[in-house]
Structures are given as structure tokens and as C-alpha cells.
């Protein structure tokens, strides 16, 4: 294939029917509520990693990938750590730039080689894989640093989605930066952002809280800390724990808060379940656990109009303490979320009334 033909394919892709069948199920969810038990393949993993320790691919020439049935050449890469997003369910969400990086880099660090090989095989990519996950991160970081020190390029991927969200990748990035290496983000799919933009909840302020602890006490303490956080809260969770987690959220954050539970994102049975925390907590207490990892999005606490009688009581108490009306108005406005000038006008009226009645 010449360069003109390759450019035409990249700029004018046409979806093929044979991609549709595999697109929904070939990759696992972006996040894990229960870290996979790696003991079954630790021996295999250690062997693969040791083989790689002195044998990072440096094959000269072209490194190819397959897109829509066509073999394409990947451009060369500068030495760097590339943070590459991969699909969260639908393979058609894989970007061309991500394919080029995965095909051209010298080494790919991934959570689980068994999962990542399925993705690479689908696109005809043969780059070497090495595992990097929370169980071996401390051991693998020095090795990956040494690869970059040799002038090689490394790509970091998760099982699916954007790396560094609820995984140990940030430590690797920090160490790479400390040693003066370049970090290059290759954006793409994200379960958090996909769920957020379709949720119908406010997006101007968001707080990503990741996974809650499985221990009830630690979970409740975390939720209590989040109670005063403004904006939409985003969590990852296992569907089988929704029956325990949602009631805890309702108790700590308020059962009236709006919530959206998104699951099977980008797949055939994608679902968004909407309601209040109390409603969905009741539903999942009795419902069978759904399939697919869940993203829980909780809307901000609803603002309530301050009670006028309570405001008057605060103003009167402050005036009787001899507080200056301007400072008092500002303090009360901040406390109840009202406009300062409105509180000031009300305070002035009450002060005049109290003066007429000999109350001040």
C-alpha cells in the first residue's frame, strides 16, 4: 500500500460489518471493583517479564497495524511514556493515533496481558507486553524507567479506558517526570466521562471519588467527607455491591439527591438507571445484581430556600449582641446562601422596628 492509499483510509474510514460483532465484548470494563486474582498466572507473568528485562524490541523499519482490513504503517515515535486510552467496550472507539502509538512503541505496559493481547490481536499489533498493576508496580517501575533511559518508547494502557483513573499509573508518571522523561497523553475512551455527559447531571463541577472501601466504617467516613463537596460526585462500583453501597450513600449524602447508575457503557445493553438515592437504594436491595461494572453519579445537594423566621431570629440575636449591621448581614448571607443586600435590608428593617419598641 502506498502513502496515498494509506492517507485515504485514515481520512475516510468506512465501518465494516465484520467489526460490529466483536466490538462490544472483546475488551473488559475500564475499572475493577475487585482486583483480579493474579495468582493463577503469576509464574507465566514472571517468566514473560524476565524475558523482557533485557530484550526490549528495537526492530528497525516499519511497524504495522490493521485498520478496516488494511495494513497501515505506524510512524516512528520519540522516546517518551505514552498514556494511551483504549476502548471501554466497543472496539470502534479505538483512535487511529492510539493504534499508531501501540504499533510503533518499543514496549507496552498493561494490567493483564491476557486482556490486552485480545485488543492487539484484533488490530494486528505485535508489540511486546509487560504487566504493570498494583501488585507489581513497585517492582516494575525501575524496569520501565530503565527502558526509557535506553532511548526507547513505552506505552501505558489499562485493561480498558483511560489509564491512571483508580490505578497505580500516577506513580509511574511521577517517577518518569522526576527523571526528566517526556509524558505524552493519547486521549480516548473513559467510563467516567461517557457516563457523565449522558447523565443529565451538572458538569460544571465534578468530583471523582473512585472506589469506596468495602469496609462499612471506612466507607461511611469517606461519604461523610464528601457530603459538603459541591458538584456532581462520580464513583466506580461493582454491581453486586450496589445493594449495600446505595443505602449508605442515601444515609450519608441525603436520599433526595439525584443519582444515575450507568453500566455496560458503549456496549449492546448499555443502560442508564435514574432516580433519587432512596429510590435506587430500595430498587437494588431486592433486584438481582446487573452485569457490567457500574459508574455511579450523584447530583449536587439541592439548594433549599432559607426560612425567613430563622433568618429573622439570627438577625435579632446578632443585633442584641451589638454586632454591626453590615458585618452581621454578610455573615448570615454566607451561612444561609442568600444575597447579602437582601439580608442587609431585612436587618435594617428589624433594627428600626426594635428601636421603636425599645428592643435595642
Amino acid at each position: 500500500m502506498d502513502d496515498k492509499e494509506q492517507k485515504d483510509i485514515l481520512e475516510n474510514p468506512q465501518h465494516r460489518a465484520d467489526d460490529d460483532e466483536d466490538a462490544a465484548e472483546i475488551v473488559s470494563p475500564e475499572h475493577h471493583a475487585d482486583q483480579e486474582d493474579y495468582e493463577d498466572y503469576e509464574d507465566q507473568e514472571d517468566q514473560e517479564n524476565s524475558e523482557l528485562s533485557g530484550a526490549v524490541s528495537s526492530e528497525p523499519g516499519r511497524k504495522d497495524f490493521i485498520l478496516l482490513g488494511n495494513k497501515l504503517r505506524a510512524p516512528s515515535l520519540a522516546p517518551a511514556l505514552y498514556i494511551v486510552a483504549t476502548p471501554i467496550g466497543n472496539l470502534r472507539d479505538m483512535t487511529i493515533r492510539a493504534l499508531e502509538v501501540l504499533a510503533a512503541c518499543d514496549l507496552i505496559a498493561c494490567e493483564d496481558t491476557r486482556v490486552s493481547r485480545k485488543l492487539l490481536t484484533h488490530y494486528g499489533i505485535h508489540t511486546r507486553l509487560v504487566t504493570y498493576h498494583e501488585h507489581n508496580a513497585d517492582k516494575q517501575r525501575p524496569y520501565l524507567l530503565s527502558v526509557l533511559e535506553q532511548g526507547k518508547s513505552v506505552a501505558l494502557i489499562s485493561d480498558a479506558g483511560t489509564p491512571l483513573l483508580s490505578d497505580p499509573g500516577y506513580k509511574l508518571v511521577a517517577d518518569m517526570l522526576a527523571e526528566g522523561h517526556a509524558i505524552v497523553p493519547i486521549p480516548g475512551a473513559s467510563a467516567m466521562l461517557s457516563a457523565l455527559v449522558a447523565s443529565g447531571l451538572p458538569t460544571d463541577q465534578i468530583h471523582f471519588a473512585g472506589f469506596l472501601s468495602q469496609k462499612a466504617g471506612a466507607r461511611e467516613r469517606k461519604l461523610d467527607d464528601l457530603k459538603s463537596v459541591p458538584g456532581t460526585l462520580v464513583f466506580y462500583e461493582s454491581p453486586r455491591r450496589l445493594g449495600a453501597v446505595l443505602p449508605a450513600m442515601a444515609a450519608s449524602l441525603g436520599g433526595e439527591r439525584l443519582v444515575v447508575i450507568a453500566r455496560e457503557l458503549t456496549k449492546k445493553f448499555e443502560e442508564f438507571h435514574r432516580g433519587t438515592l432512596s429510590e435506587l437504594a430500595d430498587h437494588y436491595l431486592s433486584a438481582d445484581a446487573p452485569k457490567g461494572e457500574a459508574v455511579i453519579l450523584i447530583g449536587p445537594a439541592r439548594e433549599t430556600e432559607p426560612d425567613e423566621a430563622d433568618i429573622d431570629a439570627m438577625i435579632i440575636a446578632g443585633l442584641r449582641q451589638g454586632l454591626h449591621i453590615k458585618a452581621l448581614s454578610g455573615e448570615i448571607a454566607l451561612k444561609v446562601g442568600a444575597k447579602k443586600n437582601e439580608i442587609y435590608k431585612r436587618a435594617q428593617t428589624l433594627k428600626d422596628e426594635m428601636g421603636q419598641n425599645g428592643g435595642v
Side-chain angles (χ1 to χ4, degrees):
M1 179 182 298
D2 61 27
D3 291 341
K4 182 179 179 183
E5 290 176 312
Q6 176 166 327
K7 181 179 180 182
D8 182 65
I9 290 172
L10 293 176
E11 293 181 351
N12 302 285
Q14 298 294 322
H15 292 307
R16 291 171 41 145
D18 58 359
D19 284 336
D20 295 345
E21 295 298 324
D22 296 329
E25 301 296 340
I26 195 167
V27 292
S28 67
E30 173 176 4
H31 47 276
H32 303 281
D34 294 308
Q35 180 66 39
E36 184 177 359
D37 182 2
Y38 287 94
E39 293 180 358
D40 292 340
Y41 74 105
E42 276 186 341
D43 291 342
Q44 173 189 342
E45 176 185 312
D46 289 341
Q47 180 180 354
E48 291 174 350
N49 291 343
S50 63
E51 290 172 355
L52 287 171
S53 62
V56 177
S57 174
S58 57
E59 178 184 349
R62 298 179 174 181
K63 295 189 177 182
D64 303 322
F65 62 95
I66 297 173
L67 179 64
L68 305 177
N70 298 279
K71 181 176 287 188
L72 304 177
R73 183 178 69 249
S76 59
L77 291 178
L81 174 66
Y82 294 82
I83 312 299
V84 183
T86 56
I88 59 175
N90 191 317
L91 274 182
R92 291 191 301 274
D93 293 332
M94 189 71 173
T95 70
I96 293 172
R97 189 178 176 209
L99 292 173
E100 290 176 339
V101 169
L102 295 182
C105 68
D106 297 294
L107 184 68
I108 298 173
C110 64
E111 289 184 80
D112 186 336
T113 57
R114 297 168 298 181
V115 172
S116 296
R117 278 200 187 97
K118 294 178 183 178
L119 175 67
L120 300 186
T121 299
H122 184 85
Y123 286 107
I125 295 173
H126 302 286
T127 307
R128 293 178 180 271
L129 292 167
V130 61
T131 55
Y132 182 82
H133 48 71
E134 67 174 327
H135 299 297
N136 73 352
D138 291 340
K139 180 178 69 175
Q140 290 294 80
R141 275 196 298 277
Y143 167 62
L144 295 176
L145 280 165
S146 71
V147 174
L148 262 70
E149 288 168 359
Q150 297 171 34
K152 306 294 185 180
S153 56
V154 176
L156 176 67
I157 63 176
S158 60
D159 280 350
T162 302
L164 274 72
L165 298 181
S166 291
D167 75 25
Y170 80 92
K171 297 177 182 177
L172 177 62
V173 170
D175 285 353
M176 293 289 190
L177 289 172
E179 295 298 323
H181 297 296
I183 308 297
V184 181
I186 308 296
S190 164
M192 177 184 71
L193 292 179
S194 298
L196 180 66
V197 298
S199 68
L201 297 174
T203 59
D204 56 334
Q205 293 189 73
I206 62 172
H207 180 92
F208 178 64
F211 290 103
L212 291 172
S213 173
Q214 298 183 42
K215 298 179 179 179
R219 181 171 60 214
E220 290 173 6
R221 287 191 296 274
K222 179 65 174 179
L223 289 170
D224 285 341
D225 290 340
L226 295 172
K227 190 181 303 182
S228 60
V229 173
T232 297
L233 305 177
V234 184
F235 303 85
Y236 286 162
E237 194 50 84
S238 165
R240 66 182 179 82
R241 288 208 294 268
L242 291 176
V245 168
L246 290 172
M249 289 178 166
S252 294
L253 303 176
E256 76 286 350
R257 291 179 71 161
L258 296 178
V259 61
V260 178
I261 297 177
R263 67 176 193 87
E264 295 287 87
L265 289 167
T266 77
K267 298 184 180 181
K268 182 177 181 179
F269 298 105
E270 177 179 270
E271 178 184 72
F272 291 86
H273 196 176
R274 298 175 170 87
T276 65
L277 270 173
S278 291
E279 291 169 346
L280 267 59
D282 290 341
H283 171 79
Y284 284 103
L285 277 174
S286 56
D288 293 335
K291 294 181 179 179
E293 302 297 334
V295 182
I296 303 175
L297 306 103
I298 301 175
R302 295 177 179 176
E303 294 184 2
T304 57
E305 289 294 326
D307 184 88
E308 291 184 3
D310 290 339
I311 293 176
D312 285 354
M314 286 188 281
I315 292 173
I316 292 170
L319 291 173
R320 286 176 174 169
Q321 293 173 22
L323 297 179
H324 191 281
I325 191 171
K326 185 176 180 180
L328 176 62
S329 299
E331 180 182 329
I332 294 175
L334 184 63
K335 184 178 295 185
V336 302
K339 294 182 178 179
K340 182 179 178 179
N341 62 334
E342 293 180 356
I343 300 295
Y344 183 89
K345 291 177 182 178
R346 181 58 181 163
Q348 188 64 60
T349 299
L350 289 174
K351 181 179 180 181
D352 292 344
E353 292 176 355
M354 292 169 66
Q356 293 172 6
N357 297 326
V360 178

